Amino acid sequence: MLTGMGIATVFLYIRSIYRTIELLDGWTGPIITNQSFFNLLDGMPITVAMYALNVFHPGPLLKPPGKTEMLSESLKEDGHNNHTTVAMRV
């Protein structure tokens, strides 16, 4: 999970630096008018970040949901006489 976040962060920084440099020469500069630079330094980092977050998704690291245990009985034993039912994952 941290690997995916690290990869995504690095490539988003690369894109941010490119976007900053791109506008240094204004709207008619050589970098902003070059489609190859745009595809390579704007589209590719987002694509790599997206794939990194999908490949290193945190879902497999999370525990599967367990049984829900009702704690209303234990609340009654502790002296809480309210009618609220509390659920806890085990």
Side-chain angles (χ1 to χ4, degrees):
M1 178 170 68
L2 291 177
T3 303
M5 289 295 291
I7 292 170
T9 301
V10 166
F11 279 93
L12 290 177
Y13 273 125
I14 290 171
R15 179 183 182 265
S16 299
I17 292 168
Y18 161 71
R19 296 296 294 215
T20 302
I21 294 171
E22 176 185 43
L23 286 173
L24 284 177
D25 293 329
W27 293 103
T28 57
I31 297 175
I32 200 168
T33 56
N34 189 331
Q35 186 68 31
S36 297
F37 284 147
F38 181 78
N39 289 339
L40 180 68
L41 296 171
D42 191 57
M44 188 267 305
I46 297 298
T47 304
V48 171
M50 179 191 67
Y51 279 110
L53 291 176
N54 280 299
V55 169
F56 299 104
H57 192 272
L61 301 174
L62 300 175
K63 293 180 181 178
K67 296 179 185 176
T68 301
E69 193 174 279
M70 304 307 278
L71 296 178
S72 59
E73 291 298 320
S74 64
L75 286 175
K76 287 179 186 175
E77 292 173 4
D78 291 340
H80 296 92
N81 292 327
N82 58 6
H83 297 289
T84 304
T85 303
V86 178
M88 183 179 84
R89 294 218 171 201
V90 180

